[in-house]
Amino acid sequence: MDDRGGRLPVRRRAQGAIAAVAALGLAAGLSGCSGTSSADVTLRLVAADYGTSAADSTRAYWDRLVKDYESRHPDVHIEVTVQPRDQVDRTVRRMADAGDPPDLAQSTDYAGYAAQGLLYRADELLSIPVQADFLGSLSDAGQVQHVRYGIPFAASTRVLFYNKTLFRAAGLTPPTTWDELAHDAQVLKAQGVTYPYALPLGPQEAQAEALQWMLGGGAGCTDDLGTYTLNSQRNTDTFTWIRDELVGAGLTGPVPPADLDRSEAYAAFAAGDVGMVDAQPALVRQAQRTGVAFGTVPVPGRDSTSKTSLATTDWMMAFKKNGHRDEIGDFLDFVYDDNNVLDFSRTYDLLPVTTSASDAMAASAQDKKLAPFLDQLPLAELYPAGKPSWPAVGADMTRRIGQAVAPDGDPADVLDQLQSAAVEAEGATAG
């Protein structure tokens, strides 16, 4: 047993097995050759690119990590393919559908593959200390039928960013309720601010903005039993309020929310054209680059600060097709070493998914800018990623939810359509 618990490193396991066979004088007979060394193993990993340009591509992170790992394990080779984040899911799906999945993949979806019996369980791969170190809410979200297949890789939460210069000029304080947010937006509009409140419900991950508002309204997209409740009365009331009090009042800027992408909203904030926007840690560095003076507060809720914030995470998963379970597990233990987790999180302004790395970040002065996001993570709500139907449901939300808040939109009708499609998707993936 090694000092991480349970499993010896790959080379030590292989050497131990070879030594035992040699002692029995059976090596040549078993293999028809000398049998004095184990065959090299190559693992293929499809990874998402969290960078914003070639200069900060995630390729550089994986190159460093793989070089370090292979120097310690010369009989294991890691081939990494880095894909844009909006393409990585499709790439993995094409490979899996062709019967040639990678050994490891990052994705926003793992449940569908788990339901098909294609993935290793997390407890088949990871050492006990690594398994125990994941933040509880993230670990639970990686389960299908109470078995963990999705291994959290990177997390983020949301806070309300506000432009300090614009707020100071207008004599405003950051809002804690929806009514205060609408009031502040009205004042900012009167001051000539282009986007008093930026509401990105366009094709780029609109389901995240929508779910944050659902949570602020005291609901969500599922109930406590995991049943879809997209068309609940609380959700209907939430999007009706957004339509009437924000969009209809002209407080969301010149681009209709259904056409405004997250990246466009962030760029407008960094340019000084946005008064307020719900955003992830990525906006911190973007705003700092342009010199915008900004502050952050918890996302407002209907009657007070939202009791629950949205957290999102991407998942690591391991396919069984090519075997190599021990090598995959050993490599993942290395990936989730604190130094590597912190290196990745700091490089890409994301939150660690392990308790030990989170504690280290919370105690570090260099990570102070991420503290507001880190504070939200322990009790944050995640997508229902353990439902095989969620990728289809989330994609449908992204396509349609912007229609609900258009000035002439019908929130109840749009949410009814989403609910019907969700029920159908759930039935198609059941069993």
Side-chain angles (χ1 to χ4, degrees), residues 84-107:
R85 289 190 70 195
D86 60 354
Q87 297 179 24
V88 67
D89 288 352
R90 289 193 294 272
T91 296
V92 176
R93 172 52 65 188
R94 284 196 300 269
M95 295 174 73
D97 288 348
D100 186 31
D103 300 284
L104 289 157
Q106 285 177 261
S107 178

Side-chain angles (χ1 to χ4, degrees), residues 328-414:
I328 292 171
D330 192 77
F331 177 64
L332 287 177
D333 277 358
F334 184 77
V335 167
Y336 287 99
D337 175 83
D338 275 358
N339 289 331
N340 292 327
V341 172
L342 286 168
D343 181 21
F344 183 86
S345 300
R346 287 166 173 160
T347 301
Y348 299 103
D349 292 326
L350 291 164
L351 303 181
V353 296
T354 63
T355 300
S356 56
S358 293
D359 289 345
M361 181 173 279
S364 172
Q366 77 177 90
D367 299 311
K368 186 177 180 180
K369 66 181 180 179
L370 295 178
F373 304 93
L374 202 60
D375 290 344
Q376 301 288 327
L377 190 55
L379 299 177
E381 181 93 3
L382 287 94
Y383 295 140
K387 297 169 75 67
S389 58
W390 171 246
V393 173
D396 196 29
M397 285 179 64
T398 291
R399 284 192 297 269
R400 301 196 211 198
I401 197 62
Q403 303 166 16
V405 301
D408 59 350
D410 185 340
D413 181 60
V414 172

Side-chain angles (χ1 to χ4, degrees), residues 211-411:
L211 183 52
Q212 180 63 71
W213 278 95
M214 290 178 181
L215 294 171
C221 58
T222 61
D223 61 19
D224 292 341
L225 299 177
T227 303
Y228 286 115
T229 54
L230 294 164
N231 62 345
S232 69
Q233 187 59 53
R234 285 189 175 184
N235 285 340
T236 301
D237 292 344
T238 290
F239 289 100
T240 300
W241 187 93
I242 297 171
R243 180 196 65 186
D244 296 343
E245 304 300 327
L246 292 181
V247 182
L251 304 180
T252 55
V255 179
D259 297 328
L260 183 65
D261 277 340
R262 179 187 63 203
S263 59
E264 295 168 339
Y266 288 12
F269 185 90
D273 295 330
V274 173
M276 297 173 283
V277 64
D278 292 346
Q280 301 164 303
L283 184 53
V284 171
R285 186 175 300 188
Q286 195 169 346
Q288 287 176 335
R289 285 177 185 147
T290 59
V292 171
F294 66 91
T296 62
V297 292
V299 175
R302 178 179 289 279
D303 300 315
S304 63
T305 297
S306 182
K307 299 297 189 297
T308 306
S309 179
L310 172 68
T312 57
T313 185
D314 289 344
W315 304 96
M316 183 74 77
M317 56 189 175
F319 287 88
K320 296 190 293 187
K321 177 68 181 292
N322 301 317
H324 308 312
R325 184 183 73 178
D326 288 344
E327 291 83 359
I328 292 171
D330 192 77
F331 177 64
L332 287 177
D333 277 358
F334 184 77
V335 167
Y336 287 99
D337 175 83
D338 275 358
N339 289 331
N340 292 327
V341 172
L342 286 168
D343 181 21
F344 183 86
S345 300
R346 287 166 173 160
T347 301
Y348 299 103
D349 292 326
L350 291 164
L351 303 181
V353 296
T354 63
T355 300
S356 56
S358 293
D359 289 345
M361 181 173 279
S364 172
Q366 77 177 90
D367 299 311
K368 186 177 180 180
K369 66 181 180 179
L370 295 178
F373 304 93
L374 202 60
D375 290 344
Q376 301 288 327
L377 190 55
L379 299 177
E381 181 93 3
L382 287 94
Y383 295 140
K387 297 169 75 67
S389 58
W390 171 246
V393 173
D396 196 29
M397 285 179 64
T398 291
R399 284 192 297 269
R400 301 196 211 198
I401 197 62
Q403 303 166 16
V405 301
D408 59 350
D410 185 340

Side-chain angles (χ1 to χ4, degrees), residues 20-105:
V21 171
L24 293 173
L26 297 177
L30 287 173
S31 63
C33 59
S34 66
T36 57
S37 64
S38 58
D40 285 359
V41 167
T42 296
L43 302 179
R44 293 181 299 157
L45 164 64
V46 176
D49 195 345
Y50 294 82
T52 57
S53 67
D56 66 349
S57 170
T58 309
R59 161 62 63 186
Y61 169 81
W62 285 111
D63 284 349
R64 291 195 306 271
L65 185 143
V66 166
K67 181 179 180 181
D68 189 6
Y69 183 79
E70 290 182 346
S71 71
R72 309 179 192 204
H73 303 81
D75 52 353
V76 179
H77 309 287
I78 314 295
E79 292 182 357
V80 182
T81 300
V82 176
Q83 293 281 298
R85 289 190 70 195
D86 60 354
Q87 297 179 24
V88 67
D89 288 352
R90 289 193 294 272
T91 296
V92 176
R93 172 52 65 188
R94 284 196 300 269
M95 295 174 73
D97 288 348
D100 186 31
D103 300 284
L104 289 157

